[in-house]
């Protein structure tokens, strides 16, 4: 009987101090110096719409649906002129498009009525918009207004807990940990690095630890250190 090949050592640990947290984000930044959202938009209002549509949908799917929509609609008033049925024709390939269309039109009406057609640059006002929760508001504040805030989607939640850099049982608790722990100069881009890391490397079912730049600064106990056959 042939001897079994020894399993790779489960190396690495969660960042234990400020220096290791700095190194964690430095390595992500070295791998991707200028992280950006993968949603396509031309202005603050289009970003609000794109993020609202992205709930339970892929960025790729949203971008396909909004390509022609955003050629026609650049302001809340133009969205109202298009109308709910017209909007549905553009976004009918996206999950939950009926309820999303209703919220987008209602938000456009509020922006026109209460904010002079402009997207507000603060969280308290943004979350008043129909279909806009804290995560969406944080994305808008980060991507459109350059604020160092930390939207927590499923990828950020998974990566934060799995690596140990920001553990919490709710998105709010993970966000609070990131707010407390992410060092400068990485705060503005942190959520982009974590989202992209979760989307392309630290995947839900089979994390690709064998090619991960921060594998030695990760507290995940079930690392996949060898590439599965056939992949």
């Amino acid at each position: 009987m042939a001897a079994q090949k020894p399993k790779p050592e489960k190396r690495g640990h969660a960042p234990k101090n400020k220096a290791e947290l700095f190194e964690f984000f430095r390595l992500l930044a070295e791998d991707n110096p200028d992280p950006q959202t993968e949603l396509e938009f031309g202005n603050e209002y289009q970003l609000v719409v794109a993020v609202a549509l992205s709930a339970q949908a892929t960025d790729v799917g949203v971008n396909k649906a909004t390509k022609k929509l955003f050629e026609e609609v650049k302001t809340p008033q133009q969205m109202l002129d298009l109308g709910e049925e017209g909007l549905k024709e553009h976004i009918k390939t996206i999950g939950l498009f009926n309820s999303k269309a209703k919220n987008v039109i209602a938000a456009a009406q509020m922006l026109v009525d209460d904010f002079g057609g402009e997207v507000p640059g603060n969280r308290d006002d943004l979350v008043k918009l129909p279909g806009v929760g804290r995560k969406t508001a944080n994305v808008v504040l980060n991507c459109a207004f350059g604020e160092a805030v930390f939207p927590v989607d499923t990828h950020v939640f998974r990566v934060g807990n799995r690596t140990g850099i920001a553990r919490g049982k709710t998105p709010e608790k993970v966000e609070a940990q990131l707010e407390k722990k992410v060092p400068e100069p990485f705060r503005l881009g942190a959520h982009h690095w974590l989202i992209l890391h979760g989307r392309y490397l630290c995947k839900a079912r089979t994390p690709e630890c064998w090619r991960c730049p921060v594998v030695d600064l990760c507290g995940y106990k079930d690392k996949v250190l060898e590439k599965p056959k056939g992949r």
Side-chain angles (χ1 to χ4, degrees):
M1 182 176 177
Q4 288 188 341
K5 184 178 179 181
K7 293 182 179 180
E9 181 185 354
K10 300 294 185 181
R11 70 178 194 266
H13 61 268
K16 296 177 180 178
N17 51 47
K18 291 181 179 180
E20 290 186 349
L21 271 169
F22 187 95
E23 182 65 5
F24 180 96
F25 284 101
R26 188 196 69 78
L27 289 167
L28 293 182
E30 184 178 74
D31 195 53
N32 182 6
D34 186 29
Q36 302 290 331
T37 177
E38 294 186 325
L39 289 172
E40 296 172 358
F41 63 97
N43 59 31
E44 292 93 341
Y45 176 63
Q46 290 182 342
L47 176 61
V48 172
V49 174
V51 181
L53 294 177
S54 70
Q56 300 181 50
T58 66
D59 288 359
V60 171
V62 172
N63 290 338
K64 288 181 179 180
T66 58
K67 183 175 177 59
K68 290 186 177 180
L69 173 66
F70 287 167
E71 291 175 1
E72 183 177 350
V73 174
K74 296 177 174 61
T75 68
Q77 185 58 58
Q78 289 175 338
M79 185 66 77
L80 294 176
D81 294 341
L82 176 65
E84 187 172 331
E85 293 305 314
L87 175 58
K88 286 180 182 179
E89 283 301 308
H90 283 283
I91 67 170
K92 60 187 178 182
T93 56
I94 299 175
L96 306 175
F97 74 93
N98 283 312
S99 60
K100 289 178 180 179
K102 183 177 181 179
N103 282 333
V104 167
I105 293 297
Q109 190 68 63
M110 182 177 287
L111 287 170
V112 168
D113 292 344
D114 298 345
F115 298 100
E118 300 294 328
V119 175
N122 66 84
R123 186 185 293 116
D124 289 343
D125 285 335
L126 284 167
V127 297
K128 294 175 183 176
L129 301 173
V132 175
R134 185 179 180 89
K135 186 204 78 173
T136 298
N138 279 345
V139 172
V140 174
L141 290 173
N142 182 269
C143 298
F145 295 100
E147 289 197 24
V149 292
F150 305 93
V152 177
D153 69 350
T154 56
H155 297 301
V156 176
F157 186 80
R158 179 174 66 256
V159 172
N161 277 286
R162 184 181 274 174
T163 62
I165 65 164
R167 290 193 171 108
K169 293 183 178 181
T170 66
E172 291 78 13
K173 289 183 178 180
V174 170
E175 180 185 342
Q177 285 292 302
L178 292 171
E179 177 66 42
K180 178 181 178 181
K181 295 167 69 173
V182 176
E184 293 289 3
F186 307 113
R187 293 177 69 83
L188 185 61
H191 99 274
H192 292 299
W193 283 309
L194 296 175
I195 287 173
L196 295 172
H197 192 64
R199 185 173 290 163
Y200 296 113
L201 279 178
C202 197
K203 299 174 183 178
R205 296 187 66 178
T206 306
E208 299 183 5
C209 309
W210 66 87
R211 64 185 189 98
C212 174
V214 292
V215 67
D216 292 325
L217 289 168
C218 171
Y220 188 47
K221 295 180 180 179
D222 298 317
K223 292 186 178 74
V224 184
L225 295 173
E226 287 188 339
K227 184 177 180 179
K229 293 181 180 180
R231 296 193 61 164

